[in-house]
Amino acid sequence: MELPIDHFRLIGVSPSAEADVVLRTLELRLDRPPQQGFTEEALLQRAELLRLSADLLTNEKLRKEYESALLGGALGLEISSNREVAGLILLWEADAAIEAFELACKSLQPPQ
């Protein structure tokens, strides 16, 4: 599944945020999981996706490569099927509820 979101928005920081801001924001996001009755597995996967994004954004080399890809027109984040629910949770948390709903509906459709 491809999420229509970038790592900055997924974490909740601006593209100009320094590594320490990314890490503080990560801590806040991990300390405040949604209280909407999600399974423990989905919340663990959410935390893992947040950590992966933070790792990328705090690694200078990886971040430069990622920013170059964004400037080159790369859109969205590809996530594995076992993390789809976690990705949808993060999309919803990023104030993209409509996109999360549309992707959820799409993923629930039987294969064509």
Side-chain angles (χ1 to χ4, degrees), residues 32-38:
R32 297 184 190 142
Q35 302 297 315
Q36 303 295 326
F38 296 107

Side-chain angles (χ1 to χ4, degrees), residues 43-86:
L43 294 176
L44 289 172
Q45 290 295 328
R46 171 193 172 269
E48 182 64 22
L49 287 174
L50 285 169
R51 284 187 191 97
L52 290 171
S53 286
D55 288 346
L56 183 139
L57 295 178
T58 57
N59 179 304
E60 189 175 330
K61 180 181 181 227
L62 293 176
R63 182 171 174 162
K64 284 183 181 185
E65 291 172 3
Y66 178 66
E67 288 173 342
S68 293
L70 284 178
L71 292 173
L75 297 174
L77 300 177
E78 190 65 37
I79 60 168
S80 61
S81 60
N82 65 328
R83 293 183 172 158
E84 284 182 353
V85 173

